[in-house]
Amino acid sequence: MAMADQHNPSPAKDAAGANRNTGVQAAPATIADPVALDTASPASTTAAAEPAAKSAAAPPAAADTLNVYDEVEIEDMDLDIDEEFYTYPCPCGDNFVIYVEDLQNGEDIAKCPSCSLLLKVVYDPAQFGGDGGESFEVDTSIQDFSGFFTEAARVRDNSPLKSLTKYMNADPTLVSLGAGLPHPDTYPFAQVGAAVAPAGKSIASCSSAELLDVSVTPAASNSIESLSKFLQYGNGRGVPSYSRFAQEHTERVHSPPYADWDVVVSLGNTDAFVKALMLFCDRGDTLIVDEWTYPAIIGTVVPMGIRMAPVRMDSQGMVPEALDQLCAEWSDSAHPLRMAYMIPTAQNPTGATMSLDRKHAIYAVAQRRGLVIIEDDPYYYLQFEAYRPRSEIGDLEERYANLPGISSLVPSLLSIDVDGRVIRLDSFSKVLAPGLRCGWVTAPKYITDKIQFHNETSIQQPAGVSQAIVSKLMNEQWGHDGWERHLVQIQREYAVRRDRFVDLCLQHLKGKVDFTIPDAGMFLWFRVLLNSDMQNKPGAMQEVFDSMIANHVLLVPGYMFSPLGASPEVRDKPYIRAAFSYASMDDFEVAITRLARALEPFTSQAA
């Protein structure tokens, strides 16, 4: 397949008219088995089963009236004039239907029944029934959600002082007496650096570390800025070489399917979440969340006067049918639902990971209900293979030889975002170090611009020393290939930890808890199998927690992850979260046996 040049998108579609009906809050429920989704996989360009009915075709348009984002040339496509129609996969997961009777005229405009994208099919009638040369062009102009901006977001603009830097950048002969910047000669730093493990190795496993440094006078061959640039005030977008890596990486991994996307720096995903939230939610508004969610999100929205509408989950995360019901039954017309927050990979706290089919189903609901999605994905690169008992594993090196790296990760919501409704949050916290406070946001440029303007009056940008180290490491020391080798090594570390932890849980906690084994991340979400005496006893889970502390083992009570707060009914939900990320693996068995002892008085006996 050959990809054509990107063209300017057509005028943005107005999302203000989208269906804003939304639903009542779904009651919290236990984590159940994955529901069966009625989502067909994209079909190849071949004859297909007869559709229910032929929909009215979109009127043909001249080539110069279509704003083409992408062109795919399909070679050796053998069309048969006797067939009635063909299908072609749409990025949203549904299929275009291409009718032969239209194709014989040399051109057809097909419309996706799910997301309304247009597919332009061009074919030479003289070659019909022959081979190759077909051109499929897809119009992927995005929707404009700025009509949903809060008043603060609407009026937020470029800092007046920051707006003057364009003149300094454009004219190297300009002498600036306007910028109130400290002179670099006053900085006491000539060089900053770090000793890092070679790509694909951990510090514990390598015999020697590699040195990287960023200096005031870099070598001419350097692709990153001088230290002075990193240490100076920024423009809210990030130092260019850092941002460039984030953009290149996003293109390589997610390839957003629309043209006008961009990245902007953050101090990590919590910082990014606050700024994305403030674009669309104000006091009195409601944010859609999972029925169990990250406590920092709860702690952020509650003081802002923003309510939360929890949606039922299963072992793949948010249930699309429950989300759709919530939206359909929503009755607060003064505060329509506009935004949904989710952690699609290794969800915190449940460890649930959405399959691609689940993401398509969630995205389809967001399209139908006019929602913007915050895709908070700090654990995205911590995906690994399904668990197998240790008794079934032969050679450990072989067991971990096929980790996903980057190429085999479950595609992100961003990668299927044909409308520009996904705001994706990425962070180096889980894959380099959280203390660096470095991350980035990917979204349509009109959204990243607003986040940049917010940065300019708050954080400015991540710390210069952190950006310098990350930029040097990613752009020069490791590069994209070395970065992927590092991610494979991180995946292996967490896969080994997950497997060892699950082995011990299955050995020691039978009859005391149940749980879904995660395929990614750091967490196990236990449902405590309380015995009949404890199931309806007020304060039961507080007794369980006290017993854990008395037995010198700490897990997080489930109620701390509930958007409904610490009401008695929530406090007694029988859930606790365990993390296998931090404790030494040598301590795993100690911790699990202590947990078993702590749960013994409150649970059913092992079968």
Side-chain angles (χ1 to χ4, degrees), residues 375-441:
E375 181 182 27
D376 184 1
D377 227 355
Y379 309 101
Y380 183 68
Y381 301 102
L382 305 186
Q383 297 180 40
F384 25 82
E385 295 177 310
Y387 168 81
R388 286 190 296 161
R390 194 171 187 85
S391 59
E392 297 179 9
I393 300 173
D395 180 68
L396 287 181
E397 290 303 316
E398 181 182 350
R399 168 70 178 85
Y400 300 110
N402 296 309
L403 293 164
I406 287 176
S407 60
S408 299
L409 295 170
V410 177
S412 63
L413 283 163
L414 176 65
S415 71
I416 61 172
D417 180 23
V418 294
D419 299 336
R421 67 176 67 247
V422 173
I423 302 175
R424 179 176 172 83
L425 316 183
D426 277 289
S427 173
F428 288 109
S429 292
K430 306 300 188 293
V431 288
L432 284 182
L436 289 170
R437 307 313 307 141
C438 282
W440 72 94
V441 179

Side-chain angles (χ1 to χ4, degrees), residues 2 24 56 59 81 85 99 113 124 218 283 309 415 457 460 485 487 547:
V24 297
I81 198 169
F85 67 93
Y99 288 89
D124 182 357
R283 183 171 292 275
S415 71
T457 57
Q460 298 277 333
R485 292 196 299 275
L487 292 176
S547 179

Side-chain angles (χ1 to χ4, degrees), residues 43-50 77-80 83-87:
S44 59
T45 312
T46 57
E50 178 69 32
M77 175 179 170
D78 187 13
L79 297 180
D80 186 345
E83 298 293 347
E84 294 185 15
F85 67 93
Y86 296 86
T87 61

